[in-house]
Amino acid sequence: MYFVNVHSLALRDGPTVSAPQIATLNFKDEVELLDTSGGWGRIREVRRDIVGWSNMRYLVPMTEDNP
């Protein structure tokens, strides 16, 4: 499990900034990592059950020290 580490983050239809945006994620939204490709992660936003792509640099793993 990961969480979003920026104020707002575009969830995209594909692993590129030119892919259509399908949703906006917010700071601390929980996501499940499903796949990776070239620095992008295919993720599922837990609360709304939305699947899309986001750049991995804006996602932080959930740990005991970082809930």
Side-chain angles (χ1 to χ4, degrees):
M1 296 298 289
Y2 288 75
F3 70 87
V4 175
N5 196 31
V6 291
H7 177 68
S8 65
L9 179 63
L11 188 64
R12 299 196 176 273
D13 195 33
T16 176
V17 294
S18 62
Q21 182 174 332
I22 57 175
T24 301
L25 305 180
N26 299 303
F27 183 66
K28 294 284 186 177
D29 278 351
E30 293 182 19
V31 298
E32 176 185 7
L33 182 63
L34 305 174
D35 195 8
T36 59
S37 176
W40 287 76
R42 184 170 178 262
I43 58 174
R44 181 181 70 87
E45 195 271 345
V46 174
R47 185 173 45 88
R48 295 177 287 173
D49 196 31
I50 300 170
V51 175
W53 291 86
S54 178
N55 195 298
M56 289 295 296
R57 72 176 145 205
Y58 304 116
L59 304 175
V60 176
M62 296 181 89
T63 64
E64 287 184 26
D65 297 333
N66 206 9

